[in-house]
Amino acid sequence: MITHSSCAHPAHNADDVELLATIEGHQIELLARRSRLPRGTKLDLPGRHGSTLVLASGRLSAETITSDGHEAFAADVEPGDVIGEAFAFERCDTPFEVVADEASEAWCFEARDFAAAFERHPAFAKAVVRAMCRRQCRTLQRMSEVMTLPMAGRLEAELLRLAACDPSGRTIGRLPTHRQIASRIATQREAVTKELSRLERQGAIRKERHGLRLVGPSWNP
């Protein structure tokens, strides 16, 4: 039976958008620029858009490049999350890229401006740390899943995570590609395709336009 994992978080609460409120309600917004990121946009960090992003709306994925040249999933980025903060405080030569999984908007900071806002505005610094901790918790959850769950279980947990962004908790408006899902759960694209087909045959999922819906009692908590 498929059960809700602790990684399947509810809709965003006040803590999730604390960082956004801090940026938009203070002079910090003067240090950043708000950029639109159409779906599929790829940004290298640091790059011409800056070194650090705070996601205002939409959804991003962060990727790095392995020593053999392959893309590797690093983190999902949700509204209110910060990504690339390491570049504001430390020299880091690891290739890092964010990809817009859907049409998104983000506040973009240059490294020196982000560091300056962190030092000068206690409320901003607190909100940044809380946002970093939220993202780290999701990363630790995925690490735990990789070590303890079979591939099918990891896929089910990822589907629940994606569906948690919808108020119903059962609909994924736009499903990432099978390659992207495979990278997120540390498996091969072919394995994801095969398991999704099996779940569809069982009636556990139903395709809907660009996404899918989790159906049946097996997805109940």
Side-chain angles (χ1 to χ4, degrees), residues 15-173:
D15 288 342
D16 295 337
V17 296
E18 177 185 5
L19 181 53
L20 289 175
T22 304
I23 292 173
E24 296 167 358
H26 296 78
Q27 294 179 345
I28 298 168
E29 65 180 296
L30 301 178
L31 302 177
R33 63 182 182 278
R34 186 157 173 155
S35 297
R36 293 183 178 181
L37 308 175
R39 186 172 70 88
T41 299
K42 294 185 177 183
L43 299 179
D44 292 324
L45 296 183
R48 65 182 183 86
H49 277 74
S51 71
T52 306
L53 305 181
V54 176
L55 186 62
S57 65
R59 175 175 288 268
L60 308 176
S61 295
E63 299 179 338
T64 187
I65 307 297
T66 63
S67 58
D68 56 0
H70 290 90
E71 296 176 343
F73 177 79
D76 58 335
V77 187
E78 301 178 351
D81 282 351
V82 59
I83 194 72
E85 67 280 357
F87 299 110
F89 301 110
E90 297 288 340
R91 177 179 174 82
C92 181
D93 296 325
T94 302
F96 203 68
E97 182 180 72
V98 293
V99 181
D101 296 331
E102 57 188 68
S104 306
E105 291 191 9
W107 290 100
C108 304
F109 289 82
E110 296 292 343
R112 63 181 180 277
D113 293 332
F114 187 86
F118 190 91
E119 293 176 359
R120 297 172 185 171
H121 300 274
F124 178 73
K126 177 183 176 182
V128 167
V129 171
R130 289 173 69 93
M132 290 167 59
C133 289
R134 279 199 311 273
R135 199 188 72 225
Q136 181 66 10
C137 284
R138 297 199 302 271
T139 299
L140 291 174
Q141 180 66 43
R142 280 198 172 88
M143 291 174 62
S144 174
E145 292 166 5
V146 168
M147 292 185 290
T148 61
L149 295 180
M151 186 281 295
R154 301 199 302 274
L155 176 59
E156 291 164 3
E158 187 64 26
L159 294 179
L160 285 167
R161 234 186 320 264
L162 291 168
C165 297
D166 184 83
S168 71
R170 284 176 171 257
T171 299
I172 303 171

Side-chain angles (χ1 to χ4, degrees), residues 178-212:
H178 293 188
R179 182 197 67 78
Q180 290 171 328
I181 295 174
S183 179
R184 288 170 178 238
I185 65 173
T187 189
Q188 301 298 315
R189 178 185 60 79
E190 294 80 5
V192 170
T193 300
K194 182 177 180 180
E195 182 62 17
L196 286 174
S197 295
R198 185 185 72 83
L199 289 173
E200 187 176 15
R201 290 195 304 271
Q202 286 185 341
I205 62 174
R206 182 173 64 241
K207 293 180 180 178
E208 293 186 348
R209 299 184 67 183
H210 301 296
L212 57 80

